[in-house]
PDB file of all heavy atoms in Angstrom:
ATOM      1  N   ASN H 100     127.780 120.103  77.173  1.00  0.00           N
ATOM      2  CA  ASN H 100     127.929 119.896  78.634  1.00  0.00           C
ATOM      3  C   ASN H 100     127.112 120.954  79.413  1.00  0.00           C
ATOM      4  O   ASN H 100     127.584 121.525  80.374  1.00  0.00           O
ATOM      5  CB  ASN H 100     129.407 119.965  79.039  1.00  0.00           C
ATOM      6  CG  ASN H 100     129.652 119.259  80.356  1.00  0.00           C
ATOM      7  OD1 ASN H 100     128.802 118.537  80.857  1.00  0.00           O
ATOM      8  ND2 ASN H 100     130.813 119.519  80.971  1.00  0.00           N
ATOM      9  N   SER H 101     125.882 121.140  78.964  1.00  0.00           N
ATOM     10  CA  SER H 101     125.024 122.135  79.643  1.00  0.00           C
ATOM     11  C   SER H 101     124.877 121.701  81.092  1.00  0.00           C
ATOM     12  O   SER H 101     124.692 120.509  81.415  1.00  0.00           O
ATOM     13  CB  SER H 101     123.654 122.207  78.962  1.00  0.00           C
ATOM     14  OG  SER H 101     123.027 120.960  78.898  1.00  0.00           O
ATOM     15  N   ASN H 102     124.927 122.670  81.988  1.00  0.00           N
ATOM     16  CA  ASN H 102     124.700 122.326  83.398  1.00  0.00           C
ATOM     17  C   ASN H 102     123.414 122.923  83.938  1.00  0.00           C
ATOM     18  O   ASN H 102     123.052 122.673  85.092  1.00  0.00           O
ATOM     19  CB  ASN H 102     125.903 122.719  84.284  1.00  0.00           C
ATOM     20  CG  ASN H 102     126.370 124.144  84.062  1.00  0.00           C
ATOM     21  OD1 ASN H 102     125.685 124.951  83.462  1.00  0.00           O
ATOM     22  ND2 ASN H 102     127.582 124.438  84.563  1.00  0.00           N
ATOM     23  N   ILE H 103     122.725 123.687  83.086  1.00  0.00           N
ATOM     24  CA  ILE H 103     121.374 124.155  83.427  1.00  0.00           C
ATOM     25  C   ILE H 103     120.498 123.974  82.194  1.00  0.00           C
ATOM     26  O   ILE H 103     120.873 124.393  81.099  1.00  0.00           O
ATOM     27  CB  ILE H 103     121.384 125.631  83.904  1.00  0.00           C
ATOM     28  CG1 ILE H 103     122.169 125.743  85.246  1.00  0.00           C
ATOM     29  CG2 ILE H 103     119.955 126.134  84.061  1.00  0.00           C
ATOM     30  CD1 ILE H 103     122.190 127.128  85.827  1.00  0.00           C
ATOM     31  N   LEU H 104     119.320 123.422  82.411  1.00  0.00           N
ATOM     32  CA  LEU H 104     118.291 123.304  81.378  1.00  0.00           C
ATOM     33  C   LEU H 104     117.226 124.373  81.660  1.00  0.00           C
ATOM     34  O   LEU H 104     116.799 124.507  82.802  1.00  0.00           O
ATOM     35  CB  LEU H 104     117.658 121.912  81.447  1.00  0.00           C
ATOM     36  CG  LEU H 104     116.391 121.699  80.580  1.00  0.00           C
ATOM     37  CD1 LEU H 104     116.766 121.713  79.100  1.00  0.00           C
ATOM     38  CD2 LEU H 104     115.695 120.404  80.943  1.00  0.00           C
ATOM     39  N   ALA H 105     116.855 125.088  80.601  1.00  0.00           N
ATOM     40  CA  ALA H 105     115.784 126.073  80.757  1.00  0.00           C
ATOM     41  C   ALA H 105     114.721 125.805  79.711  1.00  0.00           C
ATOM     42  O   ALA H 105     115.009 125.309  78.606  1.00  0.00           O
ATOM     43  CB  ALA H 105     116.345 127.486  80.583  1.00  0.00           C
ATOM     44  N   PHE H 106     113.506 126.090  80.061  1.00  0.00           N
ATOM     45  CA  PHE H 106     112.392 126.026  79.080  1.00  0.00           C
ATOM     46  C   PHE H 106     111.267 126.924  79.539  1.00  0.00           C
ATOM     47  O   PHE H 106     111.288 127.463  80.636  1.00  0.00           O
ATOM     48  CB  PHE H 106     111.921 124.563  78.816  1.00  0.00           C
ATOM     49  CG  PHE H 106     111.536 123.816  80.037  1.00  0.00           C
ATOM     50  CD1 PHE H 106     110.207 123.888  80.525  1.00  0.00           C
ATOM     51  CD2 PHE H 106     112.436 123.036  80.722  1.00  0.00           C
ATOM     52  CE1 PHE H 106     109.821 123.181  81.637  1.00  0.00           C
ATOM     53  CE2 PHE H 106     112.068 122.318  81.839  1.00  0.00           C
ATOM     54  CZ  PHE H 106     110.767 122.394  82.316  1.00  0.00           C
ATOM     55  N   GLY H 107     110.313 127.097  78.618  1.00  0.00           N
ATOM     56  CA  GLY H 107     109.250 128.054  78.867  1.00  0.00           C
ATOM     57  C   GLY H 107     107.948 127.384  79.218  1.00  0.00           C
ATOM     58  O   GLY H 107     107.441 126.533  78.471  1.00  0.00           O
ATOM     59  N   ALA H 108     107.370 127.802  80.322  1.00  0.00           N
ATOM     60  CA  ALA H 108     106.072 127.267  80.767  1.00  0.00           C
ATOM     61  C   ALA H 108     104.955 127.702  79.827  1.00  0.00           C
ATOM     62  O   ALA H 108     103.899 127.086  79.785  1.00  0.00           O
ATOM     63  CB  ALA H 108     105.779 127.726  82.166  1.00  0.00           C
ATOM     64  N   ARG H 109     105.218 128.783  79.061  1.00  0.00           N
ATOM     65  CA  ARG H 109     104.226 129.260  78.095  1.00  0.00           C
ATOM     66  C   ARG H 109     104.519 128.736  76.685  1.00  0.00           C
ATOM     67  O   ARG H 109     103.843 129.077  75.722  1.00  0.00           O
ATOM     68  CB  ARG H 109     104.207 130.789  78.053  1.00  0.00           C
ATOM     69  CG  ARG H 109     103.713 131.407  79.364  1.00  0.00           C
ATOM     70  CD  ARG H 109     103.880 132.910  79.401  1.00  0.00           C
ATOM     71  NE  ARG H 109     103.353 133.464  80.637  1.00  0.00           N
ATOM     72  CZ  ARG H 109     103.677 134.681  81.102  1.00  0.00           C
ATOM     73  NH1 ARG H 109     104.520 135.445  80.416  1.00  0.00           N
ATOM     74  NH2 ARG H 109     103.127 135.131  82.216  1.00  0.00           N
ATOM     75  N   VAL H 110     105.537 127.865  76.589  1.00  0.00           N
ATOM     76  CA  VAL H 110     105.942 127.358  75.292  1.00  0.00           C
ATOM     77  C   VAL H 110     105.663 125.872  75.192  1.00  0.00           C
ATOM     78  O   VAL H 110     105.150 125.396  74.164  1.00  0.00           O
ATOM     79  CB  VAL H 110     107.458 127.617  75.050  1.00  0.00           C
ATOM     80  CG1 VAL H 110     107.926 127.033  73.726  1.00  0.00           C
ATOM     81  CG2 VAL H 110     107.776 129.093  75.126  1.00  0.00           C
ATOM     82  N   VAL H 111     106.007 125.129  76.203  1.00  0.00           N
ATOM     83  CA  VAL H 111     105.828 123.679  76.185  1.00  0.00           C
ATOM     84  C   VAL H 111     104.797 123.255  77.245  1.00  0.00           C
ATOM     85  O   VAL H 111     104.677 123.867  78.282  1.00  0.00           O
ATOM     86  CB  VAL H 111     107.152 122.919  76.401  1.00  0.00           C
ATOM     87  CG1 VAL H 111     108.179 123.282  75.332  1.00  0.00           C
ATOM     88  CG2 VAL H 111     107.732 123.169  77.798  1.00  0.00           C
ATOM     89  N   GLY H 112     104.073 122.196  76.938  1.00  0.00           N
ATOM     90  CA  GLY H 112     103.159 121.613  77.886  1.00  0.00           C
ATOM     91  C   GLY H 112     103.920 120.717  78.850  1.00  0.00           C
ATOM     92  O   GLY H 112     105.093 120.388  78.624  1.00  0.00           O
ATOM     93  N   VAL H 113     103.231 120.294  79.895  1.00  0.00           N
ATOM     94  CA  VAL H 113     103.945 119.588  80.976  1.00  0.00           C
ATOM     95  C   VAL H 113     104.453 118.244  80.498  1.00  0.00           C
ATOM     96  O   VAL H 113     105.551 117.800  80.928  1.00  0.00           O
ATOM     97  CB  VAL H 113     103.067 119.510  82.245  1.00  0.00           C
ATOM     98  CG1 VAL H 113     102.017 118.426  82.158  1.00  0.00           C
ATOM     99  CG2 VAL H 113     103.937 119.327  83.481  1.00  0.00           C
ATOM    100  N   GLU H 114     103.748 117.541  79.642  1.00  0.00           N
ATOM    101  CA  GLU H 114     104.212 116.219  79.215  1.00  0.00           C
ATOM    102  C   GLU H 114     105.437 116.329  78.308  1.00  0.00           C
ATOM    103  O   GLU H 114     106.375 115.526  78.418  1.00  0.00           O
ATOM    104  CB  GLU H 114     103.084 115.428  78.531  1.00  0.00           C
ATOM    105  CG  GLU H 114     101.916 115.105  79.446  1.00  0.00           C
ATOM    106  CD  GLU H 114     102.378 114.385  80.747  1.00  0.00           C
ATOM    107  OE1 GLU H 114     103.256 113.504  80.675  1.00  0.00           O
ATOM    108  OE2 GLU H 114     101.839 114.695  81.807  1.00  0.00           O
TER     109      GLU H 114
END
Side-chain angles (χ1 to χ4, degrees):
N100 202 13
S101 57
N102 50 15
I103 295 182
L104 171 70
F106 54 88
R109 294 172 178 162
V110 178
V111 301
V113 78
E114 295 307 319

